[in-house]
Amino acid sequence: QVQLVESGGGSVQAGGSLRLSCAVTGGTLSTLTVTWFRQAPGNEREFVATVPWTSGGTFYADSVKGRFTISRDDTESAVYLQMTDLRPEDTAVYYCAADPSVMASMYPGEANHFNTWGQGTQVTVSS
């Protein structure tokens, strides 16, 4: 059974950087689509960035494009989210999610296609 553990969250000032990690166990990372989502208080969970296993590409929400970079290391069985130029509006709990299904790879920004979630890591950006 695939399990995900996020780490790397914290508190930074605007303009700062953080690197989130999503450790994947119980499954083969190369066969999983892994997506980062985030949820701020009072808001719905939203798509941040993804690495579908079928495409080999990376995709980002417009709000983070050019500032965040998602990467995967199949040998380390981990997915990373490098976040730079952080803004107060990036404050949220960040979750990684993984799924082997074709639907998840085709629609990697839609949370309902993911069956496995991590516990989340808090990111707080102060102005």
Side-chain angles (χ1 to χ4, degrees), residues 1 4 7 15-16 21 50 56 60-61 105 109 113 126:
Q1 183 176 355
L4 308 175
S7 61
S21 298
T50 187
Y60 300 90
S105 69
H113 295 307
S126 58

Side-chain angles (χ1 to χ4, degrees), residues 17-20 67-71 80-84:
S17 300
L18 285 172
R19 187 192 193 211
L20 305 184
R67 299 187 298 122
F68 291 12
T69 303
I70 189 171
S71 61
Y80 305 100
L81 186 67
Q82 178 68 48
M83 306 185 295
T84 63

Side-chain angles (χ1 to χ4, degrees), residues 47-68:
F47 163 72
V48 177
T50 187
V51 187
W53 67 271
T54 52
S55 73
T58 58
F59 304 92
Y60 300 90
D62 287 343
S63 59
V64 306
K65 202 171 294 182
R67 299 187 298 122
F68 291 12

Side-chain angles (χ1 to χ4, degrees), residues 8-117:
S11 298
V12 297
Q13 291 191 325
S17 300
L18 285 172
R19 187 192 193 211
L20 305 184
S21 298
C22 175
V24 180
T25 60
T28 303
L29 179 57
S30 61
T31 65
L32 299 170
T33 294
V34 179
T35 296
W36 285 97
F37 295 88
R38 67 186 181 186
Q39 187 167 18
N43 290 357
E44 293 188 354
R45 192 165 297 188
E46 65 174 3
F47 163 72
V48 177
T50 187
V51 187
W53 67 271
T54 52
S55 73
T58 58
F59 304 92
Y60 300 90
D62 287 343
S63 59
V64 306
K65 202 171 294 182
R67 299 187 298 122
F68 291 12
T69 303
I70 189 171
S71 61
R72 63 193 298 158
D73 186 334
D74 290 348
T75 59
E76 294 291 328
S77 195
V79 175
Y80 305 100
L81 186 67
Q82 178 68 48
M83 306 185 295
T84 63
D85 190 24
L86 283 161
R87 304 167 181 171
E89 54 264 39
D90 295 318
T91 295
V93 178
Y94 284 70
Y95 299 89
C96 64
D99 202 278
S101 69
V102 172
M103 289 300 289
S105 69
M106 292 176 62
Y107 305 100
E110 297 182 8
N112 59 297
H113 295 307
F114 290 83
N115 288 313
T116 302
W117 293 78

